[in-house]
Amino acid sequence: EDKVVQSPLSLVVHEGDTVTLNCSYEVTNFRSLLWYKQEKKAPTFLFMLTSSGIEKKSGRLSSILDKKELFSILNITATQTGDSAIYLCAVEGLTGKSTFGDGTTLTVKP
Amino acid sequence: DAGITQSPRYKITETGRQVTLMCHQTWSHSYMFWYRQDLGHGLRLIYYSAAADITDKGEVPDGYVVSRSKTENFPLTLESATRSQTSVYFCASSNLRGTGELFFGEGSRLTVL
């Protein structure tokens, strides 16, 4: 059975801090790993990673995948209160099915 | 409007009643999914569909039924609702020829009394 484990489950930081969110996985026939941000509503897409060692970057957010060690990290630098959300990691297999972790709840205090 | 829409957005029902949650997408995406999200959990896959008339179970399919007679619609039915099915349900779609990204509906909050 496919499995995705995120850590930490929750995190409280102050504005300006840098955070690192972790995602480890076990999946049959890996296709891609995706990160989503969920505020009060539905998750919204952040990154898709398919190759090891290639950093994806969008503003203050970046992510990288290690397919040998089966994990990914999501970094957020210079955090802002608007970064407060649940960050979800999902792994997609070749069947097209995505398995999600339990998420990391990030709270950024002013 | 283009996109993925769910209805109803909020539903309160009683134990034992049948409930159907509707999902409609306008992108002609081949894949559609139903997830549930409970407090303290991420999204757990209930059922998914690779194309019209093709459906498969996810992690937590018990108590749910799906059908997909048309590409754009993927209804989820709770045949006899139980309190443990109180949750937020998200429908999503994706096109594997694209980015693999899931596009989510706004969610349906179901309460079973």
Side-chain angles (χ1 to χ4, degrees):
Chain A
E1 186 175 322
D2 297 345
K3 189 175 179 183
V4 178
V5 178
Q6 292 187 244
S7 64
L9 291 180
S10 66
L11 191 55
V12 180
V13 301
H14 288 92
E15 276 192 316
D17 289 348
T18 293
V19 298
T20 298
L21 310 183
N22 303 293
C23 176
S24 62
Y25 63 91
E26 298 171 22
V27 66
T28 305
N29 298 320
F30 175 90
R31 177 185 168 96
S32 64
L33 185 144
L34 300 102
W35 284 97
Y36 294 85
K37 178 182 181 181
Q38 185 179 25
E39 296 174 88
K40 294 193 183 299
K41 297 184 179 180
T44 54
F45 173 76
L46 293 174
F47 297 111
M48 185 177 79
L49 303 155
T50 56
S51 301
S52 279
I54 298 175
E55 185 182 53
K56 290 280 183 92
K57 196 170 172 68
S58 176
R60 295 176 294 102
L61 278 66
S62 63
S63 184
I64 198 161
L65 173 68
D66 185 327
K67 288 170 73 174
K68 183 180 177 185
E69 300 297 329
L70 306 183
F71 78 90
S72 173
I73 60 172
L74 174 68
N75 281 320
I76 309 175
T77 60
T79 51
Q80 302 172 357
T81 55
D83 295 326
S84 295
I86 299 172
Y87 290 84
L88 295 163
C89 173
V91 177
E92 183 189 18
L94 291 179
T95 60
K97 184 176 69 168
S98 288
T99 300
F100 283 78
D102 284 343
T104 294
T105 300
L106 174 65
T107 303
V108 181
K109 292 190 171 182
Chain B
D1 289 342
I4 182 165
T5 55
Q6 293 183 229
S7 62
R9 296 288 313 284
Y10 302 91
K11 176 76 176 178
I12 300 173
T13 191
E14 294 177 339
T15 300
R17 291 193 179 258
Q18 183 179 81
V19 176
T20 296
L21 305 180
M22 305 300 292
C23 180
H24 175 79
Q25 54 107 352
T26 59
W27 292 302
S28 298
H29 283 168
S30 55
Y31 278 76
M32 295 188 75
F33 307 83
W34 275 106
Y35 288 91
R36 60 177 288 174
Q37 186 174 36
D38 305 303
L39 198 62
H41 289 277
L43 299 170
R44 291 186 289 177
L45 182 64
I46 305 170
Y47 270 96
Y48 68 108
S49 169
D53 297 321
I54 300 174
T55 62
D56 208 349
K57 295 179 181 179
E59 304 167 63
V60 289
D62 293 344
Y64 302 95
V65 174
V66 293
S67 62
R68 193 157 176 218
S69 57
K70 292 184 178 181
T71 299
E72 61 266 31
N73 296 322
F74 191 39
L76 176 73
T77 298
L78 290 67
E79 292 189 302
S80 178
T82 65
R83 289 197 182 92
S84 66
Q85 292 177 311
T86 293
S87 189
V88 178
Y89 291 85
F90 287 102
C91 179
S93 69
S94 76
N95 185 347
L96 281 190
R97 296 186 183 279
T99 64
E101 170 189 354
L102 290 176
F103 295 85
F104 287 89
E106 292 191 337
S108 295
R109 183 177 292 275
L110 176 67
T111 302
V112 183
L113 302 176

